[in-house]
Amino acid sequence: MLLPPSKIRLDLTGNKSNLLSLFATSAKLAQQFDVNQEEVLHEIRSGDYDNAVKVINKYFGEHVEILQ
């Protein structure tokens, strides 16, 4: 029996809950999942913290579980 792959837990509490940290994490996730890094980072730059979380969900939601 095959188990579904586990999601990466992205803990946005504490020190890692700032926009700069989300920017860096998104860059790493883009490389890991072979997603256009410039496109992701451009979308993150275009908004605030809440927008960054939405962008992460948009591109990596199937791979990442966001803990807030």
Short mmCIF file of all heavy atoms in Angstrom, two decimals:
data_model
loop_
_atom_site.label_atom_id
_atom_site.label_comp_id
_atom_site.label_asym_id
_atom_site.label_seq_id
_atom_site.Cartn_x
_atom_site.Cartn_y
_atom_site.Cartn_z
N MET A 1 0.83 -1.17 0.00
CA MET A 1 0.00 0.00 0.00
C MET A 1 0.88 1.25 0.00
O MET A 1 1.82 1.36 0.79
CB MET A 1 -0.88 -0.04 1.25
CG MET A 1 -1.74 1.16 1.41
SD MET A 1 -2.99 0.90 2.69
CE MET A 1 -2.39 2.01 3.91
N LEU A 2 0.61 2.16 -0.91
CA LEU A 2 1.39 3.39 -0.99
C LEU A 2 0.77 4.47 -0.11
O LEU A 2 -0.43 4.71 -0.15
CB LEU A 2 1.43 3.91 -2.43
CG LEU A 2 2.20 3.06 -3.42
CD1 LEU A 2 2.04 3.63 -4.82
CD2 LEU A 2 3.66 3.00 -3.05
N LEU A 3 1.61 5.11 0.68
CA LEU A 3 1.16 6.22 1.51
C LEU A 3 1.34 7.52 0.75
O LEU A 3 2.32 7.67 0.02
CB LEU A 3 1.95 6.27 2.81
CG LEU A 3 1.82 5.06 3.74
CD1 LEU A 3 2.77 5.20 4.91
CD2 LEU A 3 0.39 4.95 4.24
N PRO A 4 0.43 8.47 0.93
CA PRO A 4 0.63 9.76 0.26
C PRO A 4 1.86 10.45 0.82
O PRO A 4 2.17 10.30 2.01
CB PRO A 4 -0.64 10.54 0.60
CG PRO A 4 -1.21 9.86 1.78
CD PRO A 4 -0.74 8.44 1.74
N PRO A 5 2.59 11.18 -0.01
CA PRO A 5 3.77 11.86 0.49
C PRO A 5 3.37 12.90 1.54
O PRO A 5 2.33 13.53 1.45
CB PRO A 5 4.36 12.54 -0.75
CG PRO A 5 3.26 12.56 -1.75
CD PRO A 5 2.32 11.45 -1.40
N SER A 6 4.22 13.03 2.54
CA SER A 6 3.90 14.00 3.59
C SER A 6 4.25 15.41 3.10
O SER A 6 5.14 15.60 2.28
CB SER A 6 4.67 13.68 4.86
OG SER A 6 6.05 13.73 4.63
N LYS A 7 3.54 16.37 3.64
CA LYS A 7 3.76 17.76 3.26
C LYS A 7 4.87 18.37 4.12
O LYS A 7 5.09 17.96 5.25
CB LYS A 7 2.48 18.57 3.45
CG LYS A 7 1.41 18.25 2.45
CD LYS A 7 0.26 19.21 2.58
CE LYS A 7 -0.74 19.00 1.45
NZ LYS A 7 -1.76 20.05 1.44
N ILE A 8 5.54 19.34 3.56
CA ILE A 8 6.53 20.11 4.29
C ILE A 8 5.77 21.05 5.21
O ILE A 8 4.85 21.73 4.78
CB ILE A 8 7.41 20.92 3.31
CG1 ILE A 8 8.18 19.98 2.39
CG2 ILE A 8 8.34 21.84 4.08
CD1 ILE A 8 8.83 20.68 1.22
N ARG A 9 6.13 21.07 6.47
CA ARG A 9 5.47 21.99 7.41
C ARG A 9 6.22 23.31 7.44
O ARG A 9 7.41 23.35 7.72
CB ARG A 9 5.43 21.39 8.80
CG ARG A 9 4.46 20.26 8.88
CD ARG A 9 4.27 19.78 10.27
NE ARG A 9 3.22 18.77 10.24
CZ ARG A 9 2.47 18.50 11.27
NH1 ARG A 9 2.63 19.14 12.39
NH2 ARG A 9 1.54 17.58 11.16
N LEU A 10 5.50 24.35 7.12
CA LEU A 10 6.06 25.69 7.11
C LEU A 10 5.47 26.44 8.31
O LEU A 10 4.32 26.86 8.29
CB LEU A 10 5.71 26.39 5.80
CG LEU A 10 6.28 27.77 5.56
CD1 LEU A 10 7.81 27.76 5.67
CD2 LEU A 10 5.86 28.27 4.19
N ASP A 11 6.26 26.55 9.36
CA ASP A 11 5.81 27.16 10.62
C ASP A 11 6.01 28.67 10.55
O ASP A 11 7.14 29.14 10.54
CB ASP A 11 6.58 26.55 11.78
CG ASP A 11 6.04 26.97 13.14
OD1 ASP A 11 5.14 27.84 13.19
OD2 ASP A 11 6.54 26.44 14.14
N LEU A 12 4.91 29.41 10.52
CA LEU A 12 4.98 30.86 10.41
C LEU A 12 4.78 31.55 11.76
O LEU A 12 4.41 32.72 11.82
CB LEU A 12 3.95 31.37 9.41
CG LEU A 12 4.09 30.84 7.99
CD1 LEU A 12 3.06 31.49 7.08
CD2 LEU A 12 5.49 31.06 7.45
N THR A 13 5.06 30.84 12.81
CA THR A 13 5.00 31.46 14.13
C THR A 13 6.42 31.84 14.55
O THR A 13 7.39 31.28 14.08
CB THR A 13 4.39 30.49 15.16
OG1 THR A 13 5.21 29.33 15.25
CG2 THR A 13 2.99 30.09 14.77
N GLY A 14 6.52 32.81 15.40
CA GLY A 14 7.83 33.19 15.93
C GLY A 14 8.69 33.95 14.94
O GLY A 14 8.19 34.74 14.13
N ASN A 15 9.97 33.70 14.97
CA ASN A 15 10.95 34.47 14.20
C ASN A 15 10.84 34.29 12.69
O ASN A 15 11.34 35.10 11.93
CB ASN A 15 12.38 34.08 14.61
CG ASN A 15 12.69 34.50 16.02
OD1 ASN A 15 12.08 35.41 16.56
ND2 ASN A 15 13.64 33.81 16.63
N LYS A 16 10.22 33.22 12.26
CA LYS A 16 10.15 32.95 10.82
C LYS A 16 8.88 33.51 10.20
O LYS A 16 8.51 33.15 9.10
CB LYS A 16 10.24 31.45 10.57
CG LYS A 16 11.58 30.89 10.96
CD LYS A 16 11.69 29.44 10.61
CE LYS A 16 13.07 28.93 10.97
NZ LYS A 16 13.30 27.58 10.56
N SER A 17 8.22 34.41 10.90
CA SER A 17 6.94 34.93 10.41
C SER A 17 7.07 36.34 9.85
O SER A 17 6.23 37.19 10.08
CB SER A 17 5.90 34.90 11.53
OG SER A 17 6.29 35.78 12.56
N ASN A 18 8.15 36.60 9.13
CA ASN A 18 8.28 37.92 8.51
C ASN A 18 8.37 37.78 6.99
O ASN A 18 8.64 36.70 6.46
CB ASN A 18 9.47 38.67 9.09
CG ASN A 18 10.79 37.97 8.82
OD1 ASN A 18 11.16 37.76 7.69
ND2 ASN A 18 11.49 37.59 9.88
N LEU A 19 8.15 38.87 6.31
CA LEU A 19 8.11 38.85 4.85
C LEU A 19 9.44 38.42 4.23
O LEU A 19 9.46 37.67 3.26
CB LEU A 19 7.69 40.23 4.34
CG LEU A 19 7.37 40.35 2.86
CD1 LEU A 19 6.32 39.33 2.43
CD2 LEU A 19 6.88 41.75 2.54
N LEU A 20 10.54 38.85 4.81
CA LEU A 20 11.86 38.48 4.29
C LEU A 20 12.07 36.96 4.38
O LEU A 20 12.57 36.33 3.45
CB LEU A 20 12.96 39.22 5.04
CG LEU A 20 14.38 39.01 4.53
CD1 LEU A 20 14.49 39.40 3.07
CD2 LEU A 20 15.35 39.81 5.37
N SER A 21 11.63 36.38 5.48
CA SER A 21 11.75 34.93 5.65
C SER A 21 10.88 34.19 4.63
O SER A 21 11.31 33.20 4.05
CB SER A 21 11.34 34.54 7.07
OG SER A 21 11.38 33.15 7.22
N LEU A 22 9.67 34.70 4.39
CA LEU A 22 8.79 34.07 3.39
C LEU A 22 9.39 34.18 1.99
O LEU A 22 9.27 33.27 1.18
CB LEU A 22 7.41 34.72 3.42
CG LEU A 22 6.56 34.46 4.66
CD1 LEU A 22 5.22 35.16 4.52
CD2 LEU A 22 6.37 32.98 4.90
N PHE A 23 10.04 35.29 1.72
CA PHE A 23 10.70 35.50 0.43
C PHE A 23 11.79 34.45 0.23
O PHE A 23 11.85 33.78 -0.81
CB PHE A 23 11.28 36.92 0.40
CG PHE A 23 11.74 37.36 -0.95
CD1 PHE A 23 10.84 37.83 -1.89
CD2 PHE A 23 13.08 37.33 -1.27
CE1 PHE A 23 11.27 38.25 -3.13
CE2 PHE A 23 13.52 37.74 -2.51
CZ PHE A 23 12.61 38.21 -3.44
N ALA A 24 12.63 34.27 1.24
CA ALA A 24 13.73 33.29 1.16
C ALA A 24 13.19 31.87 1.05
O ALA A 24 13.69 31.06 0.26
CB ALA A 24 14.64 33.44 2.37
N THR A 25 12.18 31.56 1.84
CA THR A 25 11.58 30.23 1.81
C THR A 25 10.98 29.95 0.44
O THR A 25 11.13 28.84 -0.10
CB THR A 25 10.51 30.09 2.90
OG1 THR A 25 11.14 30.28 4.18
CG2 THR A 25 9.83 28.74 2.86
N SER A 26 10.31 30.93 -0.14
CA SER A 26 9.71 30.76 -1.46
C SER A 26 10.76 30.50 -2.53
O SER A 26 10.55 29.69 -3.43
CB SER A 26 8.90 32.00 -1.84
OG SER A 26 7.84 32.16 -0.94
N ALA A 27 11.89 31.17 -2.43
CA ALA A 27 12.98 30.95 -3.38
C ALA A 27 13.48 29.51 -3.29
O ALA A 27 13.69 28.85 -4.31
CB ALA A 27 14.11 31.94 -3.12
N LYS A 28 13.63 29.01 -2.07
CA LYS A 28 14.09 27.63 -1.88
C LYS A 28 13.07 26.62 -2.39
O LYS A 28 13.41 25.63 -3.03
CB LYS A 28 14.38 27.37 -0.40
CG LYS A 28 15.59 28.10 0.11
CD LYS A 28 15.77 27.88 1.59
CE LYS A 28 16.88 28.76 2.13
NZ LYS A 28 17.02 28.64 3.59
N LEU A 29 11.79 26.88 -2.10
CA LEU A 29 10.74 25.97 -2.56
C LEU A 29 10.66 25.96 -4.09
O LEU A 29 10.44 24.90 -4.69
CB LEU A 29 9.38 26.38 -1.97
CG LEU A 29 9.19 26.13 -0.48
CD1 LEU A 29 7.91 26.81 0.01
CD2 LEU A 29 9.17 24.64 -0.18
N ALA A 30 10.83 27.12 -4.70
CA ALA A 30 10.80 27.19 -6.17
C ALA A 30 11.90 26.32 -6.77
O ALA A 30 11.66 25.59 -7.74
CB ALA A 30 10.94 28.63 -6.63
N GLN A 31 13.08 26.37 -6.19
CA GLN A 31 14.18 25.52 -6.68
C GLN A 31 13.86 24.04 -6.45
O GLN A 31 14.06 23.22 -7.33
CB GLN A 31 15.48 25.87 -5.97
CG GLN A 31 16.09 27.16 -6.43
CD GLN A 31 17.40 27.43 -5.71
OE1 GLN A 31 17.56 27.10 -4.54
NE2 GLN A 31 18.33 28.06 -6.42
N GLN A 32 13.36 23.74 -5.26
CA GLN A 32 13.08 22.35 -4.91
C GLN A 32 12.03 21.72 -5.80
O GLN A 32 12.13 20.55 -6.17
CB GLN A 32 12.63 22.28 -3.45
CG GLN A 32 12.39 20.89 -2.94
CD GLN A 32 12.06 20.87 -1.45
OE1 GLN A 32 12.20 21.86 -0.75
NE2 GLN A 32 11.61 19.73 -0.98
N PHE A 33 11.00 22.50 -6.17
CA PHE A 33 9.90 21.94 -6.95
C PHE A 33 9.92 22.38 -8.41
O PHE A 33 8.93 22.22 -9.13
CB PHE A 33 8.55 22.29 -6.29
CG PHE A 33 8.40 21.63 -4.95
CD1 PHE A 33 8.45 22.37 -3.79
CD2 PHE A 33 8.22 20.26 -4.86
CE1 PHE A 33 8.33 21.76 -2.54
CE2 PHE A 33 8.10 19.64 -3.63
CZ PHE A 33 8.15 20.39 -2.47
N ASP A 34 11.05 22.93 -8.85
CA ASP A 34 11.25 23.32 -10.24
C ASP A 34 10.14 24.23 -10.76
O ASP A 34 9.52 23.99 -11.79
CB ASP A 34 11.38 22.07 -11.12
CG ASP A 34 12.01 22.39 -12.47
OD1 ASP A 34 12.81 23.36 -12.55
OD2 ASP A 34 11.70 21.69 -13.45
N VAL A 35 9.89 25.29 -9.97
CA VAL A 35 8.91 26.31 -10.32
C VAL A 35 9.69 27.57 -10.69
O VAL A 35 10.77 27.83 -10.15
CB VAL A 35 7.97 26.58 -9.11
CG1 VAL A 35 7.05 27.75 -9.36
CG2 VAL A 35 7.17 25.33 -8.79
N ASN A 36 9.16 28.37 -11.61
CA ASN A 36 9.83 29.60 -12.04
C ASN A 36 10.02 30.54 -10.85
O ASN A 36 9.09 31.20 -10.40
CB ASN A 36 9.02 30.28 -13.13
CG ASN A 36 9.71 31.48 -13.71
OD1 ASN A 36 10.34 32.26 -13.00
ND2 ASN A 36 9.60 31.64 -15.01
N GLN A 37 11.23 30.60 -10.36
CA GLN A 37 11.55 31.37 -9.16
C GLN A 37 11.27 32.86 -9.34
O GLN A 37 10.70 33.50 -8.45
CB GLN A 37 13.02 31.16 -8.79
CG GLN A 37 13.41 31.77 -7.47
CD GLN A 37 14.85 31.50 -7.13
OE1 GLN A 37 15.74 31.65 -7.98
NE2 GLN A 37 15.11 31.10 -5.91
N GLU A 38 11.63 33.42 -10.48
CA GLU A 38 11.40 34.85 -10.72
C GLU A 38 9.91 35.19 -10.69
O GLU A 38 9.51 36.23 -10.15
CB GLU A 38 12.02 35.28 -12.04
CG GLU A 38 13.54 35.37 -12.00
CD GLU A 38 14.05 36.32 -10.93
OE1 GLU A 38 13.50 37.44 -10.81
OE2 GLU A 38 14.99 35.94 -10.20
N GLU A 39 9.10 34.33 -11.24
CA GLU A 39 7.65 34.55 -11.24
C GLU A 39 7.09 34.56 -9.82
O GLU A 39 6.30 35.44 -9.44
CB GLU A 39 6.98 33.46 -12.08
CG GLU A 39 5.50 33.63 -12.26
CD GLU A 39 4.93 32.55 -13.17
OE1 GLU A 39 5.57 32.18 -14.16
OE2 GLU A 39 3.82 32.07 -12.85
N VAL A 40 7.50 33.57 -9.03
CA VAL A 40 7.02 33.48 -7.64
C VAL A 40 7.47 34.72 -6.85
O VAL A 40 6.66 35.35 -6.17
CB VAL A 40 7.56 32.19 -6.97
CG1 VAL A 40 7.23 32.18 -5.48
CG2 VAL A 40 7.00 30.96 -7.65
N LEU A 41 8.74 35.06 -6.95
CA LEU A 41 9.27 36.18 -6.17
C LEU A 41 8.68 37.51 -6.63
O LEU A 41 8.45 38.40 -5.81
CB LEU A 41 10.79 36.19 -6.23
CG LEU A 41 11.45 34.93 -5.65
CD1 LEU A 41 12.97 35.04 -5.73
CD2 LEU A 41 11.00 34.65 -4.23
N HIS A 42 8.39 37.64 -7.90
CA HIS A 42 7.74 38.85 -8.40
C HIS A 42 6.35 39.01 -7.77
O HIS A 42 5.97 40.10 -7.35
CB HIS A 42 7.63 38.82 -9.92
CG HIS A 42 6.86 39.96 -10.49
ND1 HIS A 42 7.39 41.24 -10.57
CD2 HIS A 42 5.60 40.04 -10.97
CE1 HIS A 42 6.46 42.04 -11.08
NE2 HIS A 42 5.37 41.34 -11.34
N GLU A 43 5.61 37.92 -7.70
CA GLU A 43 4.28 37.97 -7.09
C GLU A 43 4.36 38.30 -5.60
O GLU A 43 3.53 39.03 -5.07
CB GLU A 43 3.53 36.65 -7.29
CG GLU A 43 2.99 36.50 -8.69
CD GLU A 43 2.04 35.32 -8.82
OE1 GLU A 43 1.17 35.14 -7.95
OE2 GLU A 43 2.19 34.58 -9.81
N ILE A 44 5.37 37.77 -4.93
CA ILE A 44 5.53 38.07 -3.51
C ILE A 44 5.89 39.55 -3.31
O ILE A 44 5.36 40.21 -2.42
CB ILE A 44 6.57 37.14 -2.86
CG1 ILE A 44 5.97 35.74 -2.75
CG2 ILE A 44 7.01 37.66 -1.49
CD1 ILE A 44 6.89 34.69 -2.21
N ARG A 45 6.77 40.06 -4.16
CA ARG A 45 7.17 41.48 -4.06
C ARG A 45 5.99 42.43 -4.28
O ARG A 45 6.03 43.56 -3.83
CB ARG A 45 8.23 41.81 -5.10
CG ARG A 45 9.61 41.37 -4.74
CD ARG A 45 10.62 41.91 -5.76
NE ARG A 45 11.74 41.03 -5.84
CZ ARG A 45 12.00 40.19 -6.83
NH1 ARG A 45 11.21 40.13 -7.88
NH2 ARG A 45 13.06 39.41 -6.80
N SER A 46 4.96 41.98 -4.97
CA SER A 46 3.86 42.86 -5.35
C SER A 46 2.85 43.09 -4.22
O SER A 46 1.86 43.78 -4.43
CB SER A 46 3.13 42.31 -6.58
OG SER A 46 2.41 41.14 -6.24
N GLY A 47 3.08 42.52 -3.06
CA GLY A 47 2.11 42.67 -1.99
C GLY A 47 2.72 42.63 -0.61
O GLY A 47 3.93 42.76 -0.43
N ASP A 48 1.86 42.41 0.36
CA ASP A 48 2.26 42.39 1.76
C ASP A 48 2.44 40.94 2.25
O ASP A 48 2.45 40.00 1.46
CB ASP A 48 1.24 43.13 2.62
CG ASP A 48 -0.16 42.53 2.53
OD1 ASP A 48 -0.34 41.46 1.89
OD2 ASP A 48 -1.09 43.12 3.10
N TYR A 49 2.55 40.81 3.57
CA TYR A 49 2.75 39.50 4.19
C TYR A 49 1.63 38.52 3.82
O TYR A 49 1.91 37.38 3.45
CB TYR A 49 2.82 39.69 5.71
CG TYR A 49 2.98 38.41 6.48
CD1 TYR A 49 4.24 37.87 6.71
CD2 TYR A 49 1.87 37.73 6.97
CE1 TYR A 49 4.39 36.69 7.41
CE2 TYR A 49 2.01 36.54 7.69
CZ TYR A 49 3.27 36.04 7.90
OH TYR A 49 3.41 34.87 8.58
N ASP A 50 0.38 38.98 3.94
CA ASP A 50 -0.75 38.09 3.62
C ASP A 50 -0.71 37.64 2.16
O ASP A 50 -1.03 36.50 1.85
CB ASP A 50 -2.08 38.78 3.92
CG ASP A 50 -2.31 38.96 5.41
OD1 ASP A 50 -1.79 38.13 6.20
OD2 ASP A 50 -2.99 39.92 5.79
N ASN A 51 -0.31 38.54 1.28
CA ASN A 51 -0.16 38.18 -0.13
C ASN A 51 0.91 37.10 -0.30
O ASN A 51 0.73 36.16 -1.08
CB ASN A 51 0.22 39.42 -0.95
CG ASN A 51 0.49 39.07 -2.39
OD1 ASN A 51 -0.39 38.67 -3.13
ND2 ASN A 51 1.75 39.22 -2.80
N ALA A 52 2.01 37.23 0.43
CA ALA A 52 3.10 36.24 0.33
C ALA A 52 2.60 34.85 0.72
O ALA A 52 2.92 33.86 0.07
CB ALA A 52 4.28 36.66 1.20
N VAL A 53 1.79 34.79 1.78
CA VAL A 53 1.23 33.50 2.20
C VAL A 53 0.33 32.94 1.11
O VAL A 53 0.37 31.74 0.80
CB VAL A 53 0.48 33.65 3.55
CG1 VAL A 53 -0.24 32.35 3.90
CG2 VAL A 53 1.43 34.05 4.66
N LYS A 54 -0.47 33.78 0.48
CA LYS A 54 -1.35 33.34 -0.61
C LYS A 54 -0.54 32.84 -1.80
O LYS A 54 -0.91 31.84 -2.43
CB LYS A 54 -2.27 34.48 -1.04
CG LYS A 54 -3.34 34.80 -0.03
CD LYS A 54 -4.16 35.99 -0.47
CE LYS A 54 -5.14 36.38 0.63
NZ LYS A 54 -5.87 37.60 0.32
N VAL A 55 0.54 33.52 -2.11
CA VAL A 55 1.40 33.10 -3.23
C VAL A 55 2.02 31.73 -2.93
O VAL A 55 2.05 30.85 -3.80
CB VAL A 55 2.48 34.16 -3.53
CG1 VAL A 55 3.49 33.64 -4.55
CG2 VAL A 55 1.84 35.45 -4.02
N ILE A 56 2.48 31.54 -1.70
CA ILE A 56 3.04 30.24 -1.32
C ILE A 56 1.99 29.15 -1.47
O ILE A 56 2.26 28.08 -2.01
CB ILE A 56 3.61 30.29 0.11
CG1 ILE A 56 4.87 31.17 0.13
CG2 ILE A 56 3.94 28.88 0.62
CD1 ILE A 56 5.39 31.47 1.52
N ASN A 57 0.78 29.44 -1.02
CA ASN A 57 -0.31 28.46 -1.18
C ASN A 57 -0.60 28.19 -2.65
O ASN A 57 -0.83 27.04 -3.05
CB ASN A 57 -1.58 28.95 -0.49
CG ASN A 57 -1.67 28.50 0.94
OD1 ASN A 57 -1.29 27.38 1.27
ND2 ASN A 57 -2.17 29.36 1.79
N LYS A 58 -0.58 29.23 -3.45
CA LYS A 58 -0.87 29.09 -4.88
C LYS A 58 0.13 28.15 -5.57
O LYS A 58 -0.26 27.25 -6.31
CB LYS A 58 -0.84 30.47 -5.54
CG LYS A 58 -0.99 30.45 -7.05
CD LYS A 58 -0.88 31.84 -7.62
CE LYS A 58 -0.82 31.83 -9.14
NZ LYS A 58 -0.66 33.20 -9.68
N TYR A 59 1.40 28.38 -5.32
CA TYR A 59 2.43 27.62 -6.03
C TYR A 59 2.80 26.30 -5.34
O TYR A 59 3.19 25.35 -6.02
CB TYR A 59 3.69 28.47 -6.20
CG TYR A 59 3.56 29.51 -7.27
CD1 TYR A 59 3.19 30.82 -6.95
CD2 TYR A 59 3.77 29.20 -8.60
CE1 TYR A 59 3.06 31.79 -7.93
CE2 TYR A 59 3.64 30.16 -9.59
CZ TYR A 59 3.29 31.45 -9.25
OH TYR A 59 3.14 32.40 -10.23
N PHE A 60 2.74 26.27 -4.02
CA PHE A 60 3.28 25.12 -3.29
C PHE A 60 2.28 24.46 -2.35
O PHE A 60 2.66 23.61 -1.56
CB PHE A 60 4.52 25.55 -2.50
CG PHE A 60 5.50 26.33 -3.31
CD1 PHE A 60 5.69 27.69 -3.08
CD2 PHE A 60 6.20 25.74 -4.34
CE1 PHE A 60 6.58 28.42 -3.84
CE2 PHE A 60 7.09 26.46 -5.11
CZ PHE A 60 7.28 27.80 -4.87
N GLY A 61 1.01 24.86 -2.42
CA GLY A 61 0.00 24.36 -1.50
C GLY A 61 -0.13 22.85 -1.45
O GLY A 61 -0.44 22.29 -0.41
N GLU A 62 0.12 22.19 -2.55
CA GLU A 62 0.00 20.73 -2.54
C GLU A 62 1.19 20.07 -1.86
O GLU A 62 1.14 18.91 -1.49
CB GLU A 62 -0.20 20.17 -3.96
CG GLU A 62 1.03 19.87 -4.74
CD GLU A 62 0.71 19.31 -6.10
OE1 GLU A 62 -0.01 19.96 -6.86
OE2 GLU A 62 1.21 18.21 -6.42
N HIS A 63 2.28 20.82 -1.65
CA HIS A 63 3.48 20.28 -1.03
C HIS A 63 3.74 20.81 0.38
O HIS A 63 4.55 20.25 1.09
CB HIS A 63 4.72 20.64 -1.87
CG HIS A 63 4.62 20.24 -3.30
ND1 HIS A 63 4.65 18.93 -3.71
CD2 HIS A 63 4.46 20.96 -4.43
CE1 HIS A 63 4.54 18.87 -5.02
NE2 HIS A 63 4.41 20.08 -5.48
N VAL A 64 3.06 21.92 0.74
CA VAL A 64 3.38 22.63 1.98
C VAL A 64 2.14 22.76 2.85
O VAL A 64 1.06 23.10 2.37
CB VAL A 64 3.95 24.03 1.67
CG1 VAL A 64 4.16 24.84 2.92
CG2 VAL A 64 5.25 23.92 0.88
N GLU A 65 2.32 22.52 4.13
CA GLU A 65 1.28 22.79 5.12
C GLU A 65 1.74 24.02 5.93
O GLU A 65 2.79 23.99 6.56
CB GLU A 65 1.10 21.60 6.05
CG GLU A 65 0.11 21.83 7.16
CD GLU A 65 0.03 20.66 8.12
OE1 GLU A 65 0.74 19.67 7.95
OE2 GLU A 65 -0.75 20.78 9.07
N ILE A 66 0.97 25.09 5.86
CA ILE A 66 1.34 26.33 6.54
C ILE A 66 0.72 26.34 7.93
O ILE A 66 -0.49 26.21 8.09
CB ILE A 66 0.90 27.56 5.73
CG1 ILE A 66 1.64 27.58 4.40
CG2 ILE A 66 1.16 28.83 6.52
CD1 ILE A 66 1.26 28.71 3.48
N LEU A 67 1.57 26.51 8.92
CA LEU A 67 1.14 26.59 10.32
C LEU A 67 1.25 28.06 10.76
O LEU A 67 2.31 28.64 10.69
CB LEU A 67 2.01 25.72 11.21
CG LEU A 67 2.15 24.26 10.80
CD1 LEU A 67 3.19 23.57 11.66
CD2 LEU A 67 0.83 23.56 10.90
N GLN A 68 0.12 28.63 11.19
CA GLN A 68 0.13 30.03 11.60
C GLN A 68 -0.30 30.17 13.03
O GLN A 68 -1.09 29.50 13.54
CB GLN A 68 -0.78 30.89 10.73
CG GLN A 68 -0.26 30.98 9.32
CD GLN A 68 -1.11 31.87 8.45
OE1 GLN A 68 -2.32 31.68 8.34
NE2 GLN A 68 -0.50 32.84 7.82
#
